[in-house]
Amino acid sequence: MPAAEAALAVLLIAPATAATALVGALALLLVFSFVLARAVRRGAQVACHCFGGSRAPVRRAQLLRDGLLVAMACLGLAGTYADGTVRHPAPALLVALVVAAALSWVVVLWDDLTELLADPA
């Protein structure tokens, strides 16, 4: 899967292939979310190695993180034209980059944040 993720990241760079890459990323996220939801529902004590080498068992918080990523992919798709090319007006692009950077930081640190804010009881 890392090769597919890397290919999607490369495809996101070019405006001509960005919409296709967003659809691929969305599909991959939905598959990951489905597998993660099954593990959580079954109470499986397996670690999710997303965004690093966490050894903590999978939890609902990771499903919320996946939901955030799905929402970001959908927003990216909403910013494309019907022919698949991406809109790039400078002010909107700047705002999108800042928001994407902030959300990416939250996504990468999601496990740490949920552990920090978890009820100690």
Side-chain angles (χ1 to χ4, degrees):
M1 288 297 193
E5 293 170 347
L8 290 171
V10 169
L11 290 172
L12 278 170
I13 296 170
T17 58
T20 302
L22 285 167
V23 170
L26 186 58
L28 202 56
L29 281 166
L30 291 174
V31 169
F32 286 158
S33 297
F34 175 76
V35 171
L36 188 61
R38 284 186 59 193
V40 169
R41 191 173 344 127
R42 290 181 179 175
Q45 296 296 311
V46 296
C48 177
H49 296 288
C50 307
F51 303 104
S54 174
R55 294 179 186 218
V58 294
R59 308 183 306 274
R60 287 189 181 145
Q62 287 146 335
L63 284 171
L64 291 173
R65 177 189 59 205
D66 283 1
L68 178 64
L69 289 169
V70 166
M72 288 174 28
C74 289
L75 285 173
L77 279 172
T80 62
Y81 290 113
D83 67 357
T85 58
V86 179
R87 303 176 207 175
H88 281 249
L93 182 59
L94 179 60
V95 170
L97 288 173
V98 170
V99 170
L103 289 176
S104 296
W105 191 253
V106 169
V107 166
V108 168
L109 297 175
W110 187 265
D111 288 336
D112 295 331
L113 291 171
T114 57
E115 286 180 28
L116 180 67
L117 300 173
D119 187 15

